[in-house]
Amino acid sequence: MSSPGYRPTPAAASQLNLRGAVDLSSLRRQATPPAPPASADGGAPTGGAAGGAPTGEAGRAPLRVDATETNFQDLVQLSAQIPVLFLLWSRYAAESPAVLDAAERVVESYGGRLVLAAADVDAFPQLAQAFQVQAVPTAVAVVKGQPVPLFQGPADDAQIRDLVEELLKVAAANGVTGSIGDAAQDQETEPEPLPPLHQAALDAIEAGDYAAAVASYKQALLEQPADADAKAGLAQVELMARLESLSAPDAENLRDLAAQEPDNLEAQLGVADLDVSGGHIEDAFNRIITFIGRNFGPERETARVRLLELFEVVGTRDERVAKARQGLARVLF
């Protein structure tokens, strides 16, 4: 990976609605945790035992942890209570140690209002893939499970602090105002259990059995047609199932086919799936709306239904969904 100059991306509230931008399905918990990264003198960061809200010396929760494929979901869960700043680094990027040290100093100065998760992209490449990182070091915060890009390349304490200030404003606007101590205490409380069919669906997703997850969500909707969480879960797991067997070469071929055949329904819907999973939400919506505007009959209806399903994946309150609904209305009526 290359190492660009400092490129900040101001944290914006709209980023918090990118439901599909972090591919959690590729980072299921492993039965045996991978070996921890090497020490700092070998190019890897040192940190507390990674997890949702780990405890350190004398019961103190460390504010810097090593992000791995095993604890990734725990850290994403933690982001519902406090922002988690993922710093993706590589021992082959000369700027990484300085940026890690600067980020740690800044995070420590906020006394537990956010956590630094140091992610070694050489040891855990799937973390880089999940965030679609093209260069290191890269900083991406996660708030309520949603990514907020911060910067790429070298950055000093002052630059990082400015971005963290903006991040905390975004977090507060979305109701994320806890601290690491609060999160650790909350984790000691038994969480409220999910409805049985929802839990069965999540268990099936963890096991990679998307068909079983689909069946559980569909049964939940049969029993409770107004179950919004089941409806959104069904749309998301169906998207995951469609993308599961699509290799990178297949994806490129699909994009080529869609470009050559704009009226090929399956190609257009397939590329829309890829765009949503990669966080290119507006591109996906516009692609399907354009297809609907050019076509009639059963294919038009199939495309309309798929678009509504993708609205559920992204989140029906997302401003991009509202905009796409207006575009859909224009081509339908």
Side-chain angles (χ1 to χ4, degrees):
M1 292 186 181
S2 61
S3 178
Y6 171 71
R7 293 195 297 134
T9 304
S14 61
Q15 292 287 346
L16 298 180
N17 294 315
L18 280 176
R19 276 196 191 178
V22 177
D23 185 7
L24 302 181
S25 65
S26 67
L27 295 167
R28 302 187 197 97
R29 291 189 184 91
Q30 301 169 358
T32 304
S39 61
D41 55 7
T46 57
T55 56
E57 296 179 1
R60 179 181 179 275
L63 302 180
R64 171 175 167 175
V65 297
D66 294 332
T68 70
E69 292 166 10
T70 301
N71 68 12
F72 179 79
Q73 290 181 342
D74 291 327
L75 290 166
V76 170
Q77 265 190 322
L78 178 62
S79 73
Q81 298 163 293
I82 59 175
V84 179
L85 195 165
F86 284 87
L87 198 297
L88 297 106
W89 67 279
S90 169
R91 69 192 65 217
Y92 302 108
E95 302 92 343
S96 286
V99 174
L100 275 168
D101 289 343
E104 184 171 9
R105 286 192 296 271
V106 171
V107 168
E108 286 282 350
S109 73
Y110 283 88
R113 294 174 62 194
L114 73 162
V115 169
L116 173 64
D120 179 356
V121 300
D122 301 317
F124 304 105
Q126 282 186 291
L127 295 178
Q129 293 168 13
F131 287 110
Q132 299 186 347
V133 169
Q134 300 299 318
V136 290
T138 286
V140 181
V142 176
V143 178
K144 279 192 171 179
Q146 312 307 324
V148 184
L150 296 180
F151 66 87
Q152 290 182 349
D156 60 25
D157 294 52
Q159 292 167 328
I160 296 173
R161 186 175 299 279
D162 287 344
L163 291 170
V164 166
E165 285 291 329
E166 293 302 315
L167 170 65
L168 291 174
K169 291 176 185 177
V170 172
N174 285 270
V176 179
T177 57
S179 69
I180 189 64
D182 297 334
Q185 291 175 4
D186 290 345
Q187 287 199 335
E188 294 174 0
T189 304
E190 190 69 24
E192 184 178 345
L194 291 172
L197 287 169
H198 287 246
Q199 186 61 57
L202 290 178
D203 290 344
I205 292 172
E206 286 280 335
D209 189 348
Y210 298 142
V214 166
S216 293
Y217 280 131
K218 284 185 174 179
Q219 183 61 38
L221 287 169
L222 283 174
E223 297 179 8
Q224 296 287 340
D227 187 339
D229 289 339
K231 189 175 182 182
L234 176 61
Q236 291 181 47
V237 77
E238 285 182 333
L239 172 63
M240 292 161 66
R242 290 194 298 270
L243 294 173
E244 181 181 27
S245 60
L246 196 62
S247 66
D250 289 340
E252 287 303 314
N253 291 336
L254 187 62
R255 289 190 182 278
D256 290 342
L257 180 61
Q260 295 166 11
E261 300 181 16
D263 294 321
N264 184 319
L265 174 63
E266 293 305 318
Q268 300 307 320
L269 296 185
V271 173
D273 282 348
L274 290 170
D275 283 344
V276 167
S277 70
H280 305 292
I281 308 300
E282 291 179 332
D283 290 344
F285 290 168
N286 291 337
R287 177 179 294 276
I288 299 180
I289 291 171
T290 299
F291 179 90
I292 292 172
R294 283 201 308 263
N295 292 272
F296 297 90
E299 289 192 336
R300 178 185 176 115
E301 177 61 13
T302 299
R304 186 189 71 84
V305 170
R306 176 63 61 79
L307 182 61
L308 297 181
E309 291 173 354
L310 294 180
F311 287 170
E312 292 290 341
V313 171
V314 175
T316 54
R317 295 182 180 180
D318 190 290
E319 62 184 16
R320 292 161 299 182
V321 170
K323 181 179 177 181
R325 287 192 192 279
Q326 295 174 0
L328 177 60
R330 284 194 294 269
V331 297
L332 287 176
F333 308 108

